[in-house]
Amino acid sequence: MDFISKYRRQLALRSFLAVITPVIVLAVFWFLCSEIFSFEILFTLIISLSAGIAVAIISANVLTIKASEPLEKLQEIIMFTAHSERGGAAPDTAKLKLARDLVESLSREIYNLGSSSPTTIAAPATTSVNQPQQVTEQPATQIVIDAIPMPIIGMDTNQNVTVANKAVADYINKPLSEIIGKSLYDSVHLSFRSEEGLEEWLNKVKKSSVTSTRAWNRVRHAVSQDEWKQFDMVANFSSGNSTGTETMMAIFDRTEQYGADDNEISFVALAVHELRTPLTIMRGYIEVFSDELGSSLSPELKDFMHKMQASAEQLTAFVSNILNVARVEENQLELKLRSENISDIMQTAISDLELRARVHGKHIDLKIDENLPPVAADRISVHEVINNLVDNAIKYSDKADKVDVHAYMNNDGLVEISVRDYGIGIPTSVMGDLFQKFHRSHKSRIQVGGTGLGLYLSKAIVNAHGGNIWVRSKEGEGSEFNFTLIPFDQISAEQAEGEDGIIRGAHGWIKNHSLYRN
Amino acid sequence: MDQDLNQQSSQEQPKTQPDPSQPIQRSSPRKILCIEDERFISDLYARALTNAGYDVSIVNDGELGLHQASSGEFDIILLDIMLPTMNGVDMLYKLRGEHVQPPLRSKVIITTNLDQKEDVRKEVEKMADGYLIKAEITPKELVSYIQQVA
């Protein structure tokens, strides 16, 4: 294998350094001590010797570690390819890289084997018309790849299977005769997690490269209606070699492992699920009551009903906040920036908040300037930011009965949204920490509840959109929170998520083309 | 939320006229299968949807749900994710995976209180027709959402 000779060379170089370094150190010390500091000979000898020994000990240790590295690699490879590997470890990119190296070397050997041994059996491999007649893989190759325990598949330039080992037949539960010579996609339905699947990748590399290797994790293939496999896959593309096989693929089965991961739900997600279930039920029954008893209730009871409804909605929004804060903490807040109409988002968000404002005796004054450009936004997240800011404004409004929300184009060419209340304001002493987690105005601690997750999360979301969030406030006169969003045509293509025919709402999505598709 | 979806769909699909080749059969009520193990929630949904004129069946278990859903007799399947005996995402693969031939006629809407997992997001978006967080919508909002589907 390639990497062994690589490490052999490295090891030789390191042993040389390990020997030569103490010698040089010794000599230099000897020279320094005797010439520059004019120490006695004996003293000089002792210092130089101890320095040399120290360096020797260190280099010996380093050498041992380096010397065992190929063994470790080998062990990793054995563990990686072993069928019995278990445990719910997350996909390991280092291992995937290792698999890439492994498959690259392996493919080279198979190509070599295919092209060097004399042709014993020649037969048309494919029914393709525009291809020159090809030669099937030699039996020698077949014998070798059959000995490899993991599934190996080779394809020609039309993505027809030219070679496959016995492990493939076992893995996808089809005889080799039904696989070889046919299009790969007749035998397997691969489903990739990444945007770029095998076909897309091949189309790309065919245009740009002579050889290339790519690894995917968590690829799925349905073996039957009731069973599917999950695996990591590595493909090596190498054009113009004489075997007719252009792409070699190796499959590393991970069905058990990924199956276990899929069923694993994080503590926060589970807690949120458990909180949401009774909330769904409460909101459902409140709606039934309010619809069917509405007309018969006294104004006082009707007001109670609205307060109940508003509180349930507030709690629902808060539960989503928890989930998102957990995502921010784990760096997992993934936003899909799309071209969105800010007016739509704001109107939906404010109409969701109206009941809450009303039961607290407030009125939300929403003003949206005309002709605002579409913004690059993740709809659900921006909805949450507006929800948090307005919710705070309602909470801290005190006796004032108005909250102003305004969307406009600012002088920097960004869409700016301001949420202004006329309440208690924020003391200057806490302004600096306002966007930190669990922070809350000290004055209001007794008057208002809340944990201070909202602003922390809003900042994280706005920043992830490439915008800014800030506050101006005067004690006793109220506060104004502002944040900016970038017009969609100003962001780069990489940041933008393509159109996918899905209409996203504030609390879910629906397919655009799902109307009477059957 | 239904409101904003309505707005958007009318913007993005200006040409959404009823297709004459596929007449909307209003003579028989549209059939909905609700796969949901939380009794209170399925009761609420069944009540709201029945009031809106749909024919609703409820199943509270994954394998049983799969059996009924595969029959293809439903217009819409509301599919929870956390279910006894089989989870909703697995069921989605079995109902809507590329290997399923012929493709299932029913629309599949995920109704769950679990947020979408990033690692299966793309696949779920490919296979399902919609995704709803149950806590974020009321039964009536579910009805107006469904009315956009069938």
Side-chain angles (χ1 to χ4, degrees):
Chain A
M1 299 289 260
D2 245 18
F3 67 89
I4 291 187
S5 57
K6 193 171 104 194
Y7 282 110
R8 200 179 285 152
R9 274 201 303 280
Q10 275 186 11
L11 198 59
L13 180 71
R14 279 168 207 282
S15 337
F16 174 71
L17 287 176
V19 176
I20 204 75
T21 327
V23 173
I24 294 171
V25 170
L26 200 101
V28 170
F29 264 87
W30 184 283
F31 178 76
L32 286 177
C33 295
S34 59
E35 291 297 316
I36 300 170
F37 304 114
S38 342
F39 284 153
E40 278 177 41
I41 295 264
L42 189 64
F43 193 50
T44 309
L45 191 67
I46 290 168
I47 290 179
S48 305
L49 265 182
S50 35
I53 288 169
V55 174
I57 289 171
I58 295 165
S59 25
N61 274 319
V62 173
L63 190 69
T64 319
I65 292 166
K66 285 292 160 192
S68 59
E69 209 169 80
L71 279 177
E72 268 174 45
K73 286 272 174 204
L74 206 59
Q75 189 197 7
E76 270 182 50
I77 291 171
I78 292 167
M79 296 297 285
F80 188 78
T81 50
H83 274 302
S84 61
E85 195 194 11
R86 292 198 56 165
D92 184 340
T93 42
K95 277 189 176 173
L96 215 53
K97 189 179 172 302
L98 188 71
R100 273 181 50 165
D101 292 349
L102 191 71
V103 172
E104 223 168 277
S105 318
L106 186 69
S107 312
R108 206 173 307 133
E109 294 311 320
I110 294 173
Y111 293 139
N112 287 345
L113 201 63
S115 51
S116 62
S117 56
T119 306
T120 49
I121 303 166
T126 67
T127 50
S128 157
V129 189
N130 49 10
Q131 274 291 298
Q133 198 188 48
Q134 286 175 351
V135 170
T136 48
E137 293 301 315
Q138 277 64 43
T141 314
Q142 192 66 46
I143 291 163
V144 170
I145 64 165
D146 278 347
I148 299 170
M150 61 192 169
I152 307 261
I153 306 173
M155 295 191 303
D156 66 14
T157 189
N158 293 330
Q159 297 176 37
N160 291 322
V161 178
T162 51
V163 56
N165 63 356
K166 278 195 190 123
V168 173
D170 296 340
Y171 197 66
I172 66 174
N173 209 4
K174 255 186 180 184
L176 279 181
S177 54
E178 281 183 27
I179 303 167
I180 294 173
K182 303 235 170 63
S183 164
L184 175 74
Y185 308 103
D186 289 349
S187 315
V188 291
H189 299 283
L190 301 176
S191 119
F192 295 89
R193 268 179 61 205
S194 56
E195 291 294 332
E196 189 185 66
L198 178 68
E199 256 184 304
E200 292 85 9
W201 173 76
L202 276 175
N203 288 336
K204 192 184 81 186
V205 294
K206 269 181 191 171
K207 287 179 203 139
S208 58
S209 324
V210 177
T211 70
S212 185
T213 308
R214 196 193 193 293
W216 292 266
N217 61 28
R218 286 180 180 270
V219 184
R220 261 177 195 262
H221 160 67
V223 181
S224 67
Q225 186 95 5
D226 295 325
E227 187 193 358
W228 54 83
K229 305 272 190 191
Q230 293 200 64
F231 46 86
D232 295 343
M233 188 174 99
V234 182
N236 173 264
F237 169 82
S238 168
S239 71
N241 69 74
S242 58
T243 58
T245 300
E246 193 177 68
T247 311
M248 294 287 304
M249 288 170 296
I251 283 169
F252 301 88
D253 183 44
R254 295 281 179 272
T255 308
E256 272 184 35
Q257 226 177 311
Y258 290 154
D261 288 354
D262 286 349
N263 295 328
E264 200 174 281
I265 297 166
S266 76
F267 169 73
V268 177
L270 189 71
V272 164
H273 179 268
E274 295 307 302
L275 286 167
R276 275 172 168 172
T277 302
L279 267 170
T280 313
I281 296 165
M282 274 163 58
R283 291 188 65 187
Y285 285 117
I286 291 172
E287 189 186 62
V288 172
F289 278 136
S290 122
D291 274 8
E292 292 178 25
L293 294 177
S295 50
S296 63
L297 288 176
S298 70
E300 191 193 24
L301 287 182
K302 209 177 230 174
D303 181 46
F304 290 172
M305 185 77 83
H306 286 151
K307 284 177 172 156
M308 207 153 79
Q309 199 174 342
S311 305
E313 283 172 15
Q314 194 179 1
L315 186 53
T316 310
F318 175 71
V319 167
S320 293
N321 268 359
I322 300 179
L323 193 70
N324 284 315
V325 167
R327 283 185 180 147
V328 171
E329 310 271 277
E330 290 163 25
N331 280 326
Q332 282 183 346
L333 187 77
E334 287 192 43
L335 300 182
K336 311 286 165 217
L337 299 187
R338 292 183 165 81
S339 174
E340 296 281 5
N341 182 342
I342 187 68
S343 165
D344 268 10
I345 300 182
M346 292 190 67
Q347 274 166 5
T348 318
I350 298 301
S351 83
D352 278 7
L353 284 155
E354 241 145 31
L355 183 66
R356 214 178 302 168
R358 203 165 72 207
V359 298
H360 286 99
K362 317 289 175 205
H363 168 71
I364 304 172
D365 198 356
L366 174 65
K367 193 174 148 210
I368 301 165
D369 283 7
E370 279 179 16
N371 302 326
L372 290 177
V375 289
D378 181 277
R379 204 178 174 91
I380 297 178
S381 305
V382 173
H383 186 105
E384 272 168 0
V385 174
I386 298 169
N387 178 78
N388 280 319
L389 296 183
V390 176
D391 191 52
N392 273 348
I394 294 170
K395 259 193 235 162
Y396 294 89
S397 265
D398 198 24
K399 292 190 183 68
D401 60 359
K402 191 172 80 145
V403 174
D404 285 335
V405 182
H406 186 194
Y408 51 93
M409 196 78 176
N410 73 8
N411 294 333
D412 300 327
L414 302 173
V415 173
E416 190 167 316
I417 289 113
S418 90
V419 177
R420 169 102 172 89
D421 70 67
Y422 300 90
I424 55 176
I426 305 160
T428 35
S429 57
V430 296
M431 286 277 272
D433 304 323
L434 213 55
F435 293 98
Q436 304 289 319
K437 210 181 7 165
F438 304 126
H439 209 282
R440 207 172 44 172
S441 167
H442 67 93
K443 251 192 172 175
S444 63
R445 189 154 299 187
I446 304 155
Q447 298 164 14
V448 224
T451 49
L453 285 181
L455 287 178
Y456 170 75
L457 181 63
S458 299
K459 185 174 163 42
I461 289 172
V462 171
N463 290 348
H465 276 80
N468 275 317
I469 185 166
W470 66 94
V471 59
R472 274 181 299 234
S473 180
K474 203 164 181 192
E475 266 195 274
E477 289 180 20
S479 318
E480 180 178 352
F481 284 85
N482 294 57
F483 70 96
T484 52
L485 291 172
I486 303 177
F488 188 75
D489 55 19
Q490 285 182 28
I491 65 163
S492 61
E494 304 94 75
Q495 284 172 282
E497 189 82 359
E499 281 301 311
D500 50 9
I502 288 178
I503 304 170
R504 279 154 221 279
H507 310 300
W509 54 261
I510 186 169
K511 268 187 188 158
N512 200 358
H513 52 83
S514 63
L515 294 149
Y516 306 108
R517 196 176 48 190
N518 47 331
Chain B
M1 185 215 70
D2 41 299
Q3 189 190 359
D4 75 69
L5 285 175
N6 268 322
Q7 279 170 5
Q8 269 211 359
S9 56
S10 58
Q11 276 166 13
E12 292 177 14
Q13 295 191 305
K15 281 175 254 164
T16 305
Q17 299 292 332
D19 186 346
S21 68
Q22 294 174 341
I24 304 162
Q25 292 160 5
R26 287 285 177 232
S27 50
S28 62
R30 299 233 151 209
K31 292 185 82 175
I32 297 182
L33 176 66
C34 176
I35 309 176
E36 164 68 62
D37 66 320
E38 187 60 59
R39 192 75 220 181
F40 292 171
I41 296 180
S42 53
D43 281 354
L44 275 165
Y45 285 177
R47 190 174 187 276
L49 289 164
T50 311
N51 285 346
Y54 291 98
D55 174 358
V56 186
S57 309
I58 298 172
V59 183
N60 56 13
D61 158 289
E63 278 182 1
L64 217 63
L66 178 69
H67 179 71
Q68 296 229 16
S70 319
S71 71
E73 61 173 297
F74 295 96
D75 297 293
I76 294 169
I77 297 164
L78 301 177
L79 179 58
D80 191 10
I81 290 190
M82 278 235 235
L83 284 167
T85 66
M86 179 189 296
N87 88 49
V89 176
D90 285 357
M91 203 190 294
L92 189 61
Y93 277 106
K94 294 188 180 185
L95 290 172
R96 272 294 174 82
E98 276 182 27
H99 59 285
V100 181
Q101 287 304 333
L104 185 72
R105 179 184 83 90
S106 325
K107 306 284 180 295
V108 182
I109 313 283
I110 306 273
T111 46
T112 178
N113 273 325
L114 275 177
D115 262 45
Q116 265 194 96
K117 281 182 89 175
E118 268 309 310
D119 49 8
V120 287
R121 181 180 66 85
K122 247 197 91 215
E123 289 162 86
V124 168
E125 285 184 357
K126 198 155 55 175
M127 293 183 287
D129 294 285
Y131 197 103
L132 284 175
I133 301 286
K134 288 184 287 192
E136 305 277 358
I137 55 155
T138 63
K140 260 165 68 187
E141 285 170 340
L142 175 77
V143 170
S144 47
Y145 178 95
I146 297 277
Q147 279 163 352
Q148 296 176 65
V149 183

